[in-house]
Amino acid sequence: MNELKPRIHDEMNDLDYVLVGDYYIPAIGLPEDDDHPIGKWGRMHRAYLEETNPLLLNHLTLTGRLHTYLADLDEQAQDRYRLIIRQMAAAEGVTEDLKRQSQWEWVRAMNSIMNRAEESIKCELI
């Protein structure tokens, strides 16, 4: 009978496997501590992947790239969100002068802008 190799590499999914008893188990190590937090947008995208593309989520998890992927996406979404809010506020005339003159009007306008910016980010990136 052929002896099984103690370690093999699968080119299709780019994973290494270790022989344990009669079975090959994926050799998955914990990723290094990543100091990039996964914020609101990263968590939303993970939930989206769980529902729509579990294979991609599984692949990213097994290869140890999920945290980096979600942290990068979160950072991009946060930057885009801030940019959209600034642009919409400037286009609609929501300024510090309005804030001084009528705080309620400024809050109403900013809440509207923030809600529309969030919907835009959900459609574009999440």
Side-chain angles (χ1 to χ4, degrees):
M1 190 161 153
N2 293 339
E3 250 188 70
L4 298 173
K5 295 179 183 177
R7 190 173 189 87
I8 61 171
H9 180 76
D10 187 359
E11 294 295 331
M12 289 186 65
N13 60 13
D14 201 34
L15 287 177
D16 290 324
Y17 292 87
V18 177
L19 182 65
V20 177
D22 292 337
Y23 300 98
Y24 283 106
I25 297 177
I28 302 171
L30 292 174
E32 295 120 23
D33 287 340
D34 200 354
D35 58 349
H36 292 32
I38 298 175
K40 171 184 178 179
W41 305 109
R43 290 189 308 271
M44 288 172 74
H45 190 66
R46 181 188 173 115
Y48 172 77
L49 287 176
E50 285 175 357
E51 289 179 20
T52 61
N53 200 345
L55 293 176
L56 176 60
L57 179 64
N58 214 13
H59 176 71
L60 289 170
T61 303
L62 289 174
T63 56
R65 296 188 312 223
L66 179 64
H67 185 82
T68 305
Y69 173 77
L70 293 176
D72 289 345
L73 185 127
D74 184 70
E75 188 177 327
Q76 290 172 6
Q78 193 65 256
D79 292 343
R80 181 82 175 119
Y81 180 70
R82 289 185 192 122
L83 177 67
I84 290 172
I85 288 176
R86 277 197 310 264
Q87 288 175 343
M88 289 176 120
E92 295 176 17
V94 180
T95 62
E96 291 296 319
D97 290 337
L98 178 62
K99 188 176 182 180
R100 279 191 292 277
Q101 293 169 2
S102 174
Q103 289 181 354
W104 286 113
E105 185 64 27
W106 182 84
V107 168
R108 184 195 61 75
M110 285 304 292
N111 282 341
S112 173
I113 289 170
M114 289 168 56
N115 288 335
R116 288 181 284 154
E118 186 171 324
E119 286 301 316
S120 176
I121 295 299
K122 284 181 187 176
C123 291
E124 287 178 16
L125 296 175
I126 307 303

